[in-house]
Structure formats: structure tokens, C-alpha cells
Amino acid sequence: MYRIASALISAVMALSVVACAQRTPHRHWVGAWTVTAQPIPFHGGVRCKISDSRYRRTSMGPPSYSAYDVGKAGVPRVSVPRRAQLRKLEEHDPKHQLRFAILPKHLTILYIATDGPCASVMYPLLDTGFCSNMVYMPADAPYDISAGAPC
């Protein structure tokens, strides 16, 4: 009888430890989580609806706009120097993938969205100087820019 009781207590304790370990956010051994982002039309641009299976939440990224839509209804106005920069970059963008986004603190970024406006990849920024390692990730860090590989 004593052995059965101690075995049951050991089993309950082991199960509680496993259950506690499964609730921790850093579960690398349980399985992979996914982040998906789908484009949603928004006032002349696109917002990314981001779904994170790890935390089971959905959020919306900032709007991004095609550089070719500048001047159309719903697209934010850009300064004259910025518009000239866009027109110059458009000459080297035959697939019409040049986009801009306005992040918090009025930071306007330019990038070429080769995999679409809501891809989970690192897009190098075009307007940060000759040798820039700054990148934008619309699905993973939509409200910030990050450092990428060094030049």
C-alpha cells in the first residue's frame, strides 16, 4: 500500500512539473510557432494583419504605400525632396515593388518589397545612406527598424 501511494504522489508531482513547463513562453522543444501576415487594404495603402500562433494574438501593422500611388487619394503627402527621391528610385524598379511606410515619430522609410508588402523577411532600407545595414520586417517588427548584416 505504501508503494502504491508513493508512486501516485510521484506521478502527480511529475505531471505538475510537465504542465508548468508547458506554460512557459520559451518552449523550444514543444514545437514551432508561426507568424503570418496578410495584407488588408487601408486608405490607399496596405496594413498587415499579423497573427502570432505562439501568443495567440492578432495585431495590425502600420500602413505602407506603393511609391507609384503618391498623389492619389488616401495616400499621405510627401515632401518635394522625398518625392524627387521616389521618382529617381522608380526608374530602377521595373517590377513596381518600391514602397514607403510612415512609422511612429514620423519616420518615413523606403524599401523594395520583393516578397510582397507583408512578408516575413528583412527588407533593406533604401534611404539611410550609401552603406546601410538597417532593415524593415513588416510581419515580425512592423513598428520598428532593425540592424541587419554589416556592410
Side-chain angles (χ1 to χ4, degrees):
M1 186 70 154
Y2 177 73
R3 286 184 181 176
I4 294 173
S6 69
L8 284 173
I9 291 172
S10 297
V12 168
M13 288 177 62
L15 287 175
S16 66
V17 168
V18 169
C20 181
Q22 288 180 347
R23 279 190 234 121
T24 59
H26 303 288
R27 298 185 315 212
H28 299 290
W29 54 273
V30 172
W33 58 88
T34 57
V35 175
T36 58
Q38 70 181 111
I40 306 293
F42 179 80
H43 299 287
V46 170
R47 290 186 79 178
C48 300
K49 181 180 178 184
I50 304 163
S51 302
D52 186 346
S53 67
R54 179 179 181 189
Y55 298 110
R56 294 188 179 111
R57 67 177 172 214
T58 301
S59 61
M60 295 295 282
S64 68
Y65 304 89
S66 172
Y68 300 91
D69 292 339
V70 170
K72 293 183 180 176
V75 179
R77 293 183 184 184
V78 294
S79 65
V80 173
R82 177 67 76 177
R83 183 177 280 202
Q85 183 183 22
L86 287 172
R87 298 297 171 236
K88 194 172 190 178
L89 289 169
E90 285 174 358
E91 296 172 6
H92 306 287
D93 181 33
K95 295 184 180 178
H96 294 267
Q97 298 169 332
L98 182 62
R99 299 194 70 78
F100 72 97
I102 301 172
L103 302 183
K105 298 182 183 175
H106 304 288
L107 174 66
T108 303
I109 59 170
L110 298 174
Y111 61 99
I112 296 179
T114 54
D115 292 338
C118 295
S120 186
V121 296
M122 292 189 277
Y123 291 132
L125 298 185
L126 300 177
D127 55 346
T128 56
F130 175 71
C131 180
S132 172
N133 67 338
M134 301 306 290
V135 296
Y136 178 59
M137 298 176 285
D140 298 325
Y143 286 97
D144 203 5
I145 56 175
S146 306
C151 299

